[in-house]
Amino acid sequence: MPPTVFTVSELNNNVKFLLEEAFERIHVEGEISNFAAPTSGHWYFTLKDNNAQVRCALFKGSQRRIQTTPKDGMHVTITARASLYPARGEYQLIAEHLEEQGQGKLQQAFEALKKKLSAAGWFDADQKQVLPTHPNTIGVVTSPTGAAIHDILTVLKRRYPIANVVIYPTLVQGQEAPAAIAKAIKLANQRKECEVLIVGRGGGSLEDLWAFNEEIVARAIYDSDLPIVSAVGHEVDFTIADFVADVRAPTPSAAAEILTPDQSELLAVLARQKQQLAKHMQNQLNTTAYAIDAAEKHLHQHHPKQKIAERLQYLKTLSALCHQSMLAKLNAVKLNLGQAAATLDALSPLSTLMRGFSIAMKDKHVITQAAELKPDDKLTLTFVDGCVNAIIT
């Protein structure tokens, strides 16, 4: 029976099938070298130990689950499947996950503490404090020489330069860092120099950020009377401190932005408010001026001098009316008197005397009949021009 003859393509495809079936999901530990990240977005690297090496690829779609960016010299454990690139007959590992060596245990510890503190209510929304909108003083718990403090100060200078900054220096990495961070948070609360705290550091591996996953730090944040913004690592990094803090910022720079208003926006708001205030003041001035004018008119109308002038005018009017009334009454009296005088004159004895008559009086009594007289009676005869005595004979 003649031997089976494979083409190169058939052989490589068969070997690829056998590799992928036999090593469908494996965990491989080694050191990264020749790391490359071309524009395609995929990662390519070699995984090696002291005696051997294997080419690896980690495609773009799998990278979102990875918190650590690979770099040469990093000791990692990958989850992968074995495969073969038929075109070149090269054996390789297609990685689906990558974590720095020791990260698995740390991740387990992270999840365990997260579960414990969540059950205790440390992450609850009702435990969160409200951040001040315009803080006068901002405290920062971080390394005084790290990139984080530089980024924070740069943002604050650009956005809100009037804010004061108090730095509470601390270790942010290593075995002594958790206690140092907790101590700095407590010190800030004791001194009461600031209104809010930023607690954090720049980016790094899970081991680099591990101090912020310790319960002692979580306890200090939870017990803080000052509101705290956690700003640990990059946007993809999550720590226990992020969950306990009142607000989580993706980066230290973002923490500074969260805590402060933009001065350009504030200046624009102030300009609008100034314009509105000026308009309001002008309206108030106009209203007040109108009220003053009205008050002056009212005062003028009710001023005592005005009242006196009105009364004087009224008295003058009354005086004129009284004068006119008196004249009218006087004329009426004169008329009546004239008429009475004429009537009296018409009825006066003098008128009778002037017509040649005389008045005979005896003992001051007017004699109207001859029978009233007897001889020797003495009479007084009154004529128009005088009186004469007479004796009856």
Side-chain angles (χ1 to χ4, degrees), residues 100-115:
E100 202 165 353
Q101 189 179 27
Q103 194 171 18
K105 292 182 179 179
L106 292 178
Q107 191 66 33
Q108 291 177 4
F110 174 87
E111 295 297 338
L113 183 58
K114 180 181 175 184
K115 183 177 180 180

Side-chain angles (χ1 to χ4, degrees), residues 205-240:
S205 65
L206 182 60
E207 287 89 344
D208 294 338
L209 307 180
W210 190 253
F212 297 90
N213 289 319
E214 293 286 353
E215 186 169 354
I216 187 175
V217 175
R219 166 64 70 177
I221 294 174
Y222 182 75
D223 290 341
S224 175
D225 292 328
L226 296 171
I228 291 180
V229 178
S230 176
V232 182
H234 300 300
E235 188 170 355
V236 296
D237 299 321
F238 279 87
T239 64
I240 297 296

Side-chain angles (χ1 to χ4, degrees), residues 160-222:
Y160 199 61
I162 64 172
N164 299 311
V165 179
V166 178
I167 301 173
Y168 301 94
T170 181
L171 296 172
V172 293
Q173 185 173 336
Q175 293 182 351
E176 298 178 0
I181 295 169
K183 182 179 179 180
I185 294 173
K186 293 176 183 176
L187 181 63
N189 277 271
Q190 291 170 359
R191 288 185 177 177
K192 303 184 186 302
E193 299 167 311
C194 55
E195 299 151 72
V196 65
L197 277 178
I198 297 175
V199 177
R201 55 154 292 163
S205 65
L206 182 60
E207 287 89 344
D208 294 338
L209 307 180
W210 190 253
F212 297 90
N213 289 319
E214 293 286 353
E215 186 169 354
I216 187 175
V217 175
R219 166 64 70 177
I221 294 174
Y222 182 75

Side-chain angles (χ1 to χ4, degrees), residues 99-135:
E99 61 183 28
E100 202 165 353
Q101 189 179 27
Q103 194 171 18
K105 292 182 179 179
L106 292 178
Q107 191 66 33
Q108 291 177 4
F110 174 87
E111 295 297 338
L113 183 58
K114 180 181 175 184
K115 183 177 180 180
K116 173 186 174 182
L117 299 184
S118 179
W122 287 24
F123 304 161
D124 293 352
D126 58 2
Q127 300 292 328
K128 308 299 183 183
Q129 300 185 67
V130 179
L131 302 181
T133 55
H134 298 82

Side-chain angles (χ1 to χ4, degrees), residues 282-299:
Q282 187 60 51
N283 291 337
Q284 288 293 100
L285 288 174
N286 293 339
T287 302
T288 303
Y290 177 80
I292 291 173
D293 289 341
E296 286 181 345
K297 291 179 180 178
H298 181 78
L299 180 61

